[in-house]
Each structure stands twice: as C-alpha cells, then as structure tokens.
Amino acid sequence: MILSSALIFATACFTLALLMNLWRVVKAPGVPDRILALDTMVINFIAILVLYGIIEGTAVYFEASILIAMVGFISTVAYARFMLRGNIIE
Amino acid sequence: MELWQEVTVAAFLVVAGIFGFVGSFGLIKLPDPMTRLHAPTKATTLGVGGVLIASMLYFLFAQGQFSFHELMITLFLFLTAPITAHFIAKANLHTNVNRDRVSATGTDRPWAGFESDEARRLHEEQGASGK
C-alpha cells in the first residue's frame, strides 16, 4: 500500500518533469538550453524506466536504461562539441 | 516485505521524485543560462540516484538477491553528469558571452572555448600577409 502509492507519486513527479523538459525543448531561448533540456529528458527517462522495472518486478529494463544512458551521454557531448568547434571529430 | 522495508523504499522514492521534479522545474524557472545549467545537472542526477537506490533495496528485500545493475547505472550517471555540464557550460560561454567580458587567463592563450576562433583568426592573418 505504502510502496504502491510512493511508486505512483514518483512516476507522476518524473512524468511532470519530462513534460516540463519537452516544453523547454520547444520554447528555449538558446541552443545550449535546448541541449541541456534534451540531456535532462534522457536522465528523467532513465528514472521512469527504472520505476517501471520496480512496478513490473523484473530486471529486464536495466539493460535498456544503461544503453539509453550511454547514448544520451554521447549525443549530448556531440551536440555541445559541434556548437563549440563547428565539428565533432577533427 | 515487512513494514519497515516498504517504508524505507517508499521514502527513497518520494525524495527522488521531489528532487527530479525540482530539477526540471528549475530548468524552466531560473533566470539566466548559467544558473539554469545548475538545476538539472545536480538535482535530477540526485533524483535518479534516489530511484536507483530504491530499486536496489526493493530487489534486495522482495526477491532476496542483490543486483549490481543499479550500481553500474549510478556510477555511469555520476561520472558523466559533470562532464556534460562542463561541455554545455563551455558551449554557452562560446555562444552567449562576449569574449571581452570574460576574465583574463593570465597566459598567452585564451580560454579553451575561444581557442579555435583565435587560431582561425591568426591563420587568416598570416595567410593574408603571406600573399
């Protein structure tokens, strides 16, 4: 009972956070803000995947969240580097 | 699961949810780009850390087995969050801040974010004088 309501609360919090990030991606004042919002979206999505793993009671989703964490990190660094140097691999 | 175990996992989940929400709210609410960088890279990382600790405790209590996947994700996120924050800060410095307003480095070389501009300018000047 306590655990299921806490799970619902945490999922609701992270879902609202994802929606706010999406709003930020659409209406951002500059490109670095947009990259930052995308990076935060990746981190929030990892949290939602792990919460879904707890709800379902399986450990299948951890591999997916590790992959998403790696892809998110690489893409954020690539975006930031492209803005910084106009090139990704020099 | 016993009551104290459920309460422990639930407490971690609630704290993590609040931190995740606050981090993304700060991304919308804070006034300028450098302070906006501060909110998600710290608060949201802490929120995800809380969710992962709760998941680790849940699988330890409910199924009696300790899983290392969460520790791997936590380690990876806590290693990469400062790196991404640093990269985004450099990109922001490069695009939004006038280079005359940045404090001096104390050496011949400019800040690393402006170094490519400086090198290109020198190269163009030398190319122009060479002709």
Side-chain angles (χ1 to χ4, degrees), chain A residues 17 33 40 43-44 57 62 83, chain B residues 24 36 44 48 55 63 70 95:
Chain A
D33 272 305
T40 318
I43 293 177
N44 282 332
F62 292 128
M83 285 202 58
Chain B
S24 296
R36 272 202 292 275
T44 314
V48 176
S55 159
Q63 299 175 1
E70 290 93 338
T95 49

Side-chain angles (χ1 to χ4, degrees), chain A residues 1-7 9-14 16-21 23-24 29-33 35-40 43-44 46-48 50-51 53-55 57-59 61-63 65-66 69-73 76-77 79-81 83-86 90, chain B residues 1 3 6-7 9-11 13-18 20-21 23-25 27-30 33 36-38 40-41 44-45 47-48 51-52 54-55 58-59 63 67 69-70 72-73 76-77 80-81 83-85 87-88 90-92 94-96 112-113 115-117 120:
Chain A
M1 180 59 203
I2 302 171
L3 190 57
S4 57
S5 28
L7 274 172
F9 175 77
T11 314
C13 278
F14 278 105
L16 275 176
L18 259 182
L19 284 175
M20 287 194 290
N21 291 336
W23 168 254
R24 198 68 199 173
V31 186
D33 272 305
I35 301 172
L36 184 59
L38 282 172
D39 186 50
T40 318
I43 293 177
N44 282 332
I46 292 165
I48 286 182
V50 174
L51 284 171
I54 298 178
I55 292 171
T58 65
Y61 297 99
F62 292 128
E63 277 81 8
S65 40
I66 290 176
M70 287 177 177
V71 171
F73 169 65
T76 309
V77 170
Y79 264 130
R81 192 160 174 78
M83 285 202 58
L84 208 59
R85 310 286 290 226
E90 293 178 54
Chain B
M1 285 172 74
L3 184 65
E6 281 201 22
V7 169
V9 177
L13 283 176
V14 168
V15 170
I18 290 170
F21 184 78
S24 296
F25 187 64
L27 182 63
I28 287 186
K29 200 67 188 169
L30 287 172
R36 272 202 292 275
L37 186 63
H38 169 87
T41 49
T44 314
T45 311
V48 176
V51 170
L52 291 164
S55 159
Y58 176 77
F59 283 108
Q63 299 175 1
S67 64
H69 298 84
E70 290 93 338
M72 277 177 64
I73 305 173
F76 187 79
L77 277 180
T80 56
I83 301 174
T84 53
F87 262 99
I88 296 169
K90 273 171 85 175
N92 184 42
H94 187 70
T95 49
N96 290 349
E115 196 155 27
S116 58
D117 290 356
R120 193 177 303 140

